Amino acid sequence: MESYKQEFIEFMVDSQVLKFGEFTLKSGRKSPFFMNAGAYVTGSQLKRLGEYYAKAIHDAYGDDFDVLFGPAYKGIPLSVATTIAYSELYGREIRYCSNRKEAKDHGDVGILLGSKLQDGDRVVIIEDVTTSGKSIQETFPILKAQGDVEIKGLMVSLNRMEKGLGGEKSALAEIRETYGFEANAIVTMAEVIEHLYNKPYKGQIYIDDAVKAALDEYYAVYGA
């Protein structure tokens, strides 16, 4: 596992973004872990988060894109932080773009924030996490309505490795098949478990035998 991935797992724990216990998800599933990107709230956290995303996007897509699109609302700060980090790390000026929930009819009119999309633009979508893939159903038509753009792929921070809307394959695998573009994550839950299981971090074991058993039970039902 690349060193930045190991650092990112520890960063999620330090930021209290990734927690282990008993949680009820929006889907109604009872999960032994929970990931909340809304817990990244400080300048230093957003700076580091943008750097991890930039490294993962560069690994997956190189410089072969023009725009980072972050769906409202959580995708807005992600796209901004990552375009800044990409410029600093790789010297490439990537434009950021996000959508409004409601189109603006005065001043900077339209549905988009940041850069407008142009014919020929190559776009990478950036999100916090994809559990079922439902958000892409909303994002994809917004992008395609803006012009002849090419969607290079999707980057999320954590691949939960759960069944998508179809109930068999993972959400990221379904996105690849349905929309024809790549879908990647900075880290997967398998990598999180590998890095934290019975290994102390700052004097604490976050995934002990009991948590590991709960994760195994959860993935026996919902895992893809």
Side-chain angles (χ1 to χ4, degrees), residues 155-186:
M155 182 63 68
V156 301
S157 61
L158 177 66
N159 180 358
R160 290 183 59 102
M161 301 176 65
E162 296 177 35
K163 296 172 183 176
L165 295 174
E168 294 182 4
K169 299 178 180 178
S170 73
L172 294 187
E174 284 187 353
I175 288 168
R176 293 187 193 103
E177 288 192 1
T178 303
Y179 300 101
F181 56 77
E182 281 299 308
N184 297 284
I186 302 176

Side-chain angles (χ1 to χ4, degrees), residues 98-104 108-113 116 142 146:
S98 296
N99 65 297
R100 296 182 171 97
K101 289 294 188 179
E102 296 179 359
K104 189 178 178 184
D108 183 21
V109 299
I111 193 104
L112 299 182
L113 291 167
K116 302 301 181 186
I142 291 173
Q146 306 309 311

Side-chain angles (χ1 to χ4, degrees), residues 23-211:
F23 306 93
T24 300
L25 304 180
K26 187 177 180 180
S27 63
R29 295 176 182 176
K30 303 290 186 181
S31 173
F33 69 98
F34 183 66
M35 186 263 182
N36 173 28
Y40 296 119
V41 293
T42 69
S44 61
Q45 286 175 331
L46 290 172
K47 183 178 186 295
R48 288 185 64 187
L49 181 62
E51 291 169 353
Y52 290 126
Y53 265 107
K55 290 175 181 178
I57 288 170
H58 190 264
D59 278 356
Y61 306 110
D63 290 331
D64 191 26
F65 68 103
D66 309 293
V67 181
L68 268 180
F69 182 84
Y73 289 101
K74 287 182 179 178
I76 297 174
L78 294 180
S79 61
V80 172
T82 305
T83 52
I84 294 170
Y86 211 92
S87 174
E88 292 180 345
L89 290 174
Y90 303 110
R92 179 93 193 282
E93 292 289 15
I94 301 299
R95 291 141 49 210
Y96 99 90
C97 179
S98 296
N99 65 297
R100 296 182 171 97
K101 289 294 188 179
E102 296 179 359
K104 189 178 178 184
D105 60 4
H106 61 281
D108 183 21
V109 299
I111 193 104
L112 299 182
L113 291 167
S115 173
K116 302 301 181 186
L117 294 178
Q118 306 162 9
D119 288 349
D121 275 342
R122 299 163 300 172
V123 180
V124 171
I125 303 169
I126 182 170
E127 290 199 86
D128 57 345
V129 66
T130 297
T131 301
S132 67
K134 185 178 180 181
S135 61
I136 295 297
Q137 286 186 337
E138 301 170 357
T139 301
F140 186 77
I142 291 173
L143 289 172
K144 285 300 186 180
Q146 306 309 311
D148 184 18
V149 300
E150 177 187 359
I151 301 176
K152 299 295 295 187
L154 166 71
M155 182 63 68
V156 301
S157 61
L158 177 66
N159 180 358
R160 290 183 59 102
M161 301 176 65
E162 296 177 35
K163 296 172 183 176
L165 295 174
E168 294 182 4
K169 299 178 180 178
S170 73
L172 294 187
E174 284 187 353
I175 288 168
R176 293 187 193 103
E177 288 192 1
T178 303
Y179 300 101
F181 56 77
E182 281 299 308
N184 297 284
I186 302 176
V187 294
T188 67
M189 270 307 295
E191 290 170 326
V192 170
I193 294 168
E194 175 191 338
H195 188 60
L196 294 179
Y197 177 45
N198 277 342
K199 297 175 184 176
Y201 173 62
K202 293 185 176 179
Q204 182 175 345
I205 293 179
Y206 288 88
I207 302 180
D208 57 15
D209 288 338
V211 174

